[in-house]
Amino acid sequence: GDFLILPLGTAGGNQESNLSSFSFSTTTAASTAWINFDAGNLFSGLTVAEPLLSPYINASLNLKPEFNFLKVSTSCFANKEGSFLTFHSQHAIKAYLLSHPHLDHIEGLAINSVDDLAPKYILGSNFTVTTIINNIFNWAGIVHSLSYVQFSPSPPPATAWPNFGSEGTTPLLSTYQYTRLDLTSSAFVSIPNTPFAVRAFELSHSNPYKSTAFLVYDAASHAYFLYFGDTGAGKQVKIDDMDLNIDVDQVENSTDIATVWQAVAPLIDQGSLWGIIIECSYTNSVPNSLLFGHLKPSLLLNELDVLVSKLSAGNLYLPPVIISHIKPSAVLGINPATIISQEVAMNNTHNFNFVFPQQGALLTITSSGIKVNPAPTTSQAREFYPLLCTRTNGRLIGDSAKIKR
């Protein structure tokens, strides 16, 4: 089936209701199983999605394939307010693939864990899982803290939230079972209660802090999808003019992204990698020394140059690149998304098809293209969806001009 991406959160900070969170499924699996890439927010993203999808929810008799999953949510909770929100968060999402334990990637999971229903699964690196066990799901109780202060001169133990996990501080509520992914293994691991499997890669996110990329495989479509958590640029980057005086170590000095490209290049050659989500947090005006383990357009394009260099000669297929984690600006009248879309388009020498997702707007991805539901207005198309991809070329939305590699 086609791939479905429901962006529950697309931004990279400041806006508490719009943090990194992407639900993923296929048209054949969506009625029963979704996975979530990160979980900066959940319910607030679904609140935005529900009115955008409501025309399709109400017209549940003759739905296009990508909306069949909505029939299940409305029938299961027909008499409850927020039926789609409740169904998707409590039932449809079977597993969370967490790239790293920064709050803007896990906050929604923690806050909504109180109402979540077992069994659910959290997959991530050993570092991510261990941090969540020790610092998030570790119980928070005033009696425990006071007794500790009373009987020991040491500071009270860190306590943040009841332990909804299956390991750590007792009692274990065990809503979530943990799967630690081996970042050095090329093997795919089945994601419980879903038809999907995943391979994980290490990323550098302000070295030595680590993040994760996830390559998901869907056996039914024989296709893959690649999601990047937060990441800085590798040491292959071209230092731009404003940064000539900084040491390359102030970027990341890692080959992590190149390792991911090496693994997925054959899939792109085969046409079986249908899409990529990757971050681009800042505009080019931010110096490398202030990126703190993130990308900006010049560095993202440099990394994509590395990917193209690994493809077979004559390859005409490039998967769509969905941009995530743009950090909002507090300056009135400044829209970083608009600036970043212009900066990537200006130097897009390989004609990658960049998509800037809107929170709550469902993306449908096939072997031949990507579309947005509901379709963006003309102004949205210019600002958030500058390119619509096809298998061998790209087309500007609302424009008949063809773009070839």
Side-chain angles (χ1 to χ4, degrees):
D2 300 343
F3 287 175
L4 300 175
I5 303 289
L6 184 60
L8 302 182
T10 63
N14 297 3
Q15 297 177 344
E16 298 93 336
S17 60
N18 188 14
L19 300 171
S20 296
S21 183
F22 293 86
S23 283
F24 171 91
S25 191
T26 66
T27 51
T28 55
S31 294
T32 57
W34 291 67
I35 60 175
N36 227 77
F37 295 117
D38 285 324
N41 61 258
L42 292 173
F43 209 75
S44 56
L46 291 167
T47 302
V48 175
E50 187 172 42
L52 294 176
L53 294 174
S54 61
Y56 309 102
I57 295 175
N58 296 333
S60 59
L61 293 178
N62 298 300
L63 294 179
K64 295 179 180 180
E66 57 261 41
F67 301 113
N68 280 335
F69 72 95
L70 296 175
K71 292 182 181 179
V72 180
S73 61
T74 48
S75 62
C76 287
F77 289 88
N79 298 318
K80 291 189 177 183
E81 183 180 356
S83 59
F84 170 68
L85 282 67
T86 307
F87 178 81
H88 193 85
S89 62
Q90 291 188 346
H91 294 270
I93 298 175
K94 304 298 186 186
Y96 297 91
L97 279 60
L98 303 182
S99 64
H100 62 297
H102 279 166
L103 283 178
D104 59 324
H105 293 256
I106 64 171
E107 177 183 305
L109 171 66
I111 294 297
N112 287 277
S113 59
V114 177
D115 294 318
D116 215 344
L117 299 177
K120 293 290 183 73
Y121 297 85
I122 292 176
L123 293 83
S125 67
N126 181 62
F127 165 69
T128 297
V129 169
T130 301
T131 301
I132 290 172
I133 292 171
N134 290 340
N135 300 303
I136 304 298
F137 291 148
N138 58 3
W139 282 105
I142 189 169
V143 174
H144 178 75
S145 297
L146 289 176
S147 63
Y148 192 93
V149 171
Q150 181 179 353
F151 295 107
S152 173
S154 302
T159 53
W161 205 247
N163 188 1
F164 288 95
S166 56
E167 302 177 30
T169 307
T170 56
L172 305 177
L173 301 180
S174 296
T175 301
Y176 305 105
Q177 307 292 317
Y178 297 111
T179 298
R180 292 169 172 82
L181 300 174
D182 184 353
L183 306 186
T184 65
S185 173
S186 61
F188 281 80
V189 175
S190 294
I191 302 175
N193 294 337
T194 78
F196 311 125
V198 63
R199 176 185 174 185
F201 299 83
E202 183 174 85
L203 298 174
S204 183
H205 178 32
S206 193
N207 202 357
Y209 194 86
K210 301 300 181 182
S211 180
T212 314
F214 299 108
L215 179 63
V216 170
Y217 175 64
D218 172 49
S221 59
H222 304 288
Y224 299 80
F225 190 85
L226 178 62
Y227 174 85
F228 282 86
D230 291 0
T231 182
K235 65 181 180 183
Q236 298 93 341
V237 299
K238 304 168 186 175
I239 305 301
D240 50 32
D241 291 340
M242 72 175 66
D243 298 318
L244 284 177
N245 294 324
I246 74 163
D247 188 272
V248 71
D249 287 345
Q250 288 184 275
V251 184
E252 293 296 318
N253 192 29
S254 82
T255 58
D256 290 336
I257 297 181
T259 299
V260 178
W261 295 151
Q262 188 68 43
V264 303
L267 306 179
I268 296 176
D269 285 336
Q270 299 163 13
S272 59
L273 182 68
W274 286 6
I276 299 170
I277 293 178
I278 190 168
E279 72 129 280
C280 191
S281 296
Y282 295 104
T283 66
N284 280 336
S285 63
V286 177
N288 287 3
S289 56
L290 296 179
L291 292 176
F292 305 110
H294 294 290
L295 293 174
K296 60 183 180 180
S298 61
L299 300 182
L300 171 60
L301 291 169
N302 288 340
E303 292 294 347
L304 291 173
D305 285 344
V306 177
L307 170 59
V308 171
S309 72
K310 298 180 183 299
L311 301 179
S312 298
N315 177 292
L316 291 176
Y317 169 63
L318 291 174
V321 177
I322 301 166
I323 301 298
S324 69
H325 208 267
I326 295 176
K327 291 186 174 292
S329 173
V331 179
L332 187 65
I334 299 296
N335 188 334
T338 300
I339 298 172
I340 290 172
S341 68
Q342 294 168 347
E343 290 177 339
V344 296
M346 189 181 307
N347 297 292
N348 186 13
T349 57
H350 301 294
N351 290 321
F352 274 93
N353 300 279
F354 294 101
V355 174
F356 290 72
Q358 177 187 357
Q359 185 182 30
L362 185 72
L363 302 175
T364 305
I365 305 176
T366 71
S367 60
S368 59
I370 183 170
K371 62 180 179 178
V372 185
N373 300 289
T377 64
T378 302
S379 61
Q380 286 176 325
R382 285 197 300 265
E383 184 168 347
F384 295 106
Y385 307 102
L387 290 173
L388 178 68
C389 88
T390 63
R391 183 66 176 272
T392 57
N393 52 54
R395 173 171 72 82
L396 289 173
I397 290 181
D399 193 317
S400 60
K402 300 295 183 182
I403 300 175
K404 297 182 179 179
R405 274 199 58 194

